[in-house]
Amino acid sequence: MLLALVALMLPMSSPPASEVYKSVDADGHVVYSDRSSTSTAQKSTVRVDEPDPREVARNAREHEILKAEEIQRNKKQSIDDAKKAQQDHNRQAQCELVRNHYYALKDARRIYDRDADGNRVFLSDAEADLKREEARLATVAACGT
């Protein structure tokens, strides 16, 4: 009786096996399937061993850690991208401001400053040209062109 019980338990405890067929398609690719696609397909038996539960648990923990690290990297990348976009916007706004000032000076017939009382003091042609050149250089520095 004990021997019959052991004989019945042996097939249950052995790892599951399945039959697979190996064939080559028209493009030369090797194809594995559970159904024969041609009469020349080779029949193979594949044994699947059950994984070690400790190894599965270790892999799951490692996967969770890697996923958490990836989420952290993605958050940091998003923050860095937002900072870079804000810096680009600020740089563009500064460029527009400096460029508009230069165009205003370039197109003006007479350039003036204000004195302490708020009165206009017109610049000489040489001083006006110097102001225009300073504005042009500031535009090149802010805009790159």
Side-chain angles (χ1 to χ4, degrees):
M1 176 91 166
L2 182 61
L3 187 57
L5 185 60
V6 171
L8 287 175
M9 297 286 277
L10 279 178
M12 289 182 182
S13 65
S14 66
S18 348
E19 293 178 348
V20 292
Y21 294 90
K22 177 182 173 184
S23 60
V24 179
D25 65 7
D27 295 330
H29 299 109
V30 177
V31 178
Y32 294 95
S33 176
D34 59 344
R35 295 184 194 114
S36 174
S37 61
T38 65
S39 61
T40 61
Q42 297 173 356
K43 183 176 179 181
S44 301
T45 303
V46 176
R47 297 187 84 61
V48 178
D49 295 329
E50 290 296 321
D52 182 13
R54 292 175 302 202
E55 186 68 19
V56 170
R58 187 189 67 77
N59 285 340
R61 281 192 308 273
E62 184 177 312
H63 180 71
E64 288 175 14
I65 291 169
L66 291 174
K67 189 170 184 174
E69 289 173 352
E70 181 181 0
I71 290 170
Q72 193 68 20
R73 276 192 306 272
N74 289 342
K75 283 181 183 178
K76 184 179 181 326
Q77 184 67 39
S78 295
I79 291 169
D80 290 346
D81 290 347
K83 284 181 184 178
K84 184 176 183 327
Q86 184 64 40
Q87 289 172 347
D88 289 346
H89 174 74
N90 292 345
R91 193 175 305 119
Q92 185 67 28
Q94 181 66 23
C95 173
E96 285 291 320
L97 183 70
V98 171
R99 183 180 288 139
N100 289 341
H101 178 68
Y102 169 64
Y103 288 152
L105 289 177
K106 186 177 83 162
D107 295 339
R109 294 179 126 194
R110 303 274 322 260
I111 298 175
Y112 60 88
D113 282 333
R114 301 250 180 207
D115 64 8
D117 296 331
N119 298 319
R120 290 181 181 180
V121 177
F122 288 95
L123 302 178
S124 68
D125 288 340
E127 291 171 329
D129 288 342
L130 184 60
K131 275 269 201 209
R132 287 183 183 103
E133 182 60 20
E134 288 173 355
R136 187 189 71 77
L137 293 175
T139 302
V140 169
C143 302
T145 56

